[in-house]
Amino acid sequence: MDAHVPQCTGVVRLSAPASPRRWLAWLPALAWLLLLAALPWWLGLSLLLACALALLWRGGPLREYAALLRRALRWGLPGLLLAVLRTFGADALAWLLTLLAALAGFSLLVLLENWLDRGKPREPSPSPADEWPELALAPIGPTGAIIELRAPQWRPLQGGLADPLGGELRWSDEAVRLADGQRLYGVEPCCDLDAEGRWLVLPMAGRRGVLLLDRRHDRRHRLRGWLLAGWHEGQPWLSRGEERAPLAVNHVLGHDEGD
């Protein structure tokens, strides 16, 4: 099946020129901020607490929206502060309460971010035993990296497709039937997967995004607006359009998948 997805057959650099339409991606976040600023402060606080609880509930059904929930907290907190200031007026006491709420809110947000990222490896700090000649001759700044992606190979499923994990993938009754009997609805009758079968990528119906299955960890991610750009070292790379630089699946999902 011919899938209209971005093809990446050559060398892909990790940096891309800024697109004049990139600012459109910030419109939903700005709309969310203005919505919380217009709502009563107690309702906005309830929404932000719900987002925080959904992030802490890592085994819940919303775990695949972790990046979206984090963005909702970062942009929603200023909107909540504006709602507090609007409710209590613009006198000195209202400003004091708003500043105290900002200090507490951003402190809690930083603690939450650190807690969620506690398992990620950190860059080692330079050893004090390093001699100054080695430090002087060390290269300045990060080294450049060129990633060469293998273009997607969309394979039709109407006639069945051998699954590297065993069994067969098949299109049946407007759904993709996996080897274990599970059915995936709302997708197109084609797929692409890595040689080991860990990652299974299916275009969503209407080309609205991709359904990404991490079958090693039994996780599903419906990524609206994302397209499969290619493969590198057995992992999918995704992009939001031909004008955007592709990103590794770890960056798109917002957590480490290196294990």
Side-chain angles (χ1 to χ4, degrees):
M1 178 177 181
D2 185 15
H4 300 286
V5 296
Q7 302 296 322
C8 185
T9 57
V11 174
V12 178
R13 298 188 180 273
L14 292 182
S15 60
S19 172
R21 295 176 296 177
R22 181 167 296 181
W23 62 272
L24 292 176
W26 298 100
L27 287 182
L30 183 59
W32 170 248
L33 186 152
L34 295 178
L35 175 62
L36 289 189
L39 290 175
W41 68 267
W42 53 267
L43 182 56
L45 179 61
S46 301
L47 293 175
L48 293 184
L49 289 177
C51 293
L53 292 176
L55 281 171
L56 293 174
W57 189 22
R58 299 181 67 88
L62 298 178
R63 63 180 182 271
E64 61 186 78
Y65 301 103
L68 183 61
L69 292 172
R70 287 191 180 197
R71 186 176 299 177
L73 284 175
R74 295 166 186 165
W75 284 83
L77 184 54
L80 176 62
L81 296 175
L82 291 176
V84 172
L85 187 62
R86 179 177 56 84
T87 300
F88 293 98
D91 55 5
L93 180 60
W95 278 104
L96 178 61
L97 292 176
T98 303
L99 291 176
L100 292 177
L103 178 62
F106 283 109
S107 299
L108 292 176
L109 182 58
V110 171
L111 291 176
L112 178 62
E113 294 274 0
N114 291 335
W115 172 259
L116 295 175
D117 296 335
R118 66 190 183 281
K120 291 187 176 182
R122 301 185 181 275
E123 292 293 333
S125 58
S127 172
D130 291 339
E131 297 294 336
W132 70 266
E134 298 178 1
L135 296 176
L137 296 176
I140 300 177
T143 58
I146 296 179
I147 303 299
E148 188 170 353
L149 301 182
R150 176 180 64 82
Q153 298 177 357
W154 298 106
R155 310 170 199 185
L157 297 175
Q158 289 90 340
L161 178 67
D163 191 340
L165 299 183
E168 185 183 54
L169 305 173
R170 179 175 291 275
W171 179 259
S172 173
D173 297 330
E174 301 300 322
V176 174
R177 180 170 54 83
L178 303 181
D180 58 2
Q182 298 185 59
R183 293 181 177 273
L184 305 175
Y185 294 91
V187 295
E188 299 285 345
C190 64
C191 74
D192 196 3
L193 68 169
D194 63 302
E196 297 180 356
R198 173 189 175 179
W199 298 101
L200 176 63
V201 185
L202 302 104
M204 294 172 60
R207 306 297 173 186
R208 299 190 306 271
V210 293
L211 173 61
L212 180 66
L213 274 68
D214 180 359
R215 300 198 286 178
R216 179 186 297 176
H217 298 101
D218 192 22
R219 295 174 181 171
R220 300 181 184 180
H221 307 277
R222 289 190 178 269
L223 305 176
R224 296 185 180 275
W226 289 90
L227 302 173
L228 178 62
W231 297 85
H232 177 67
E233 295 183 350
Q235 290 197 344
W237 283 59
L238 308 169
S239 73
R240 284 193 175 275
E242 296 181 356
E243 297 181 355
R244 301 290 187 88
L247 298 175
V249 63
N250 302 347
H251 295 281
V252 175
L253 300 182
H255 55 79
D256 249 340
E257 292 285 352
D259 57 347

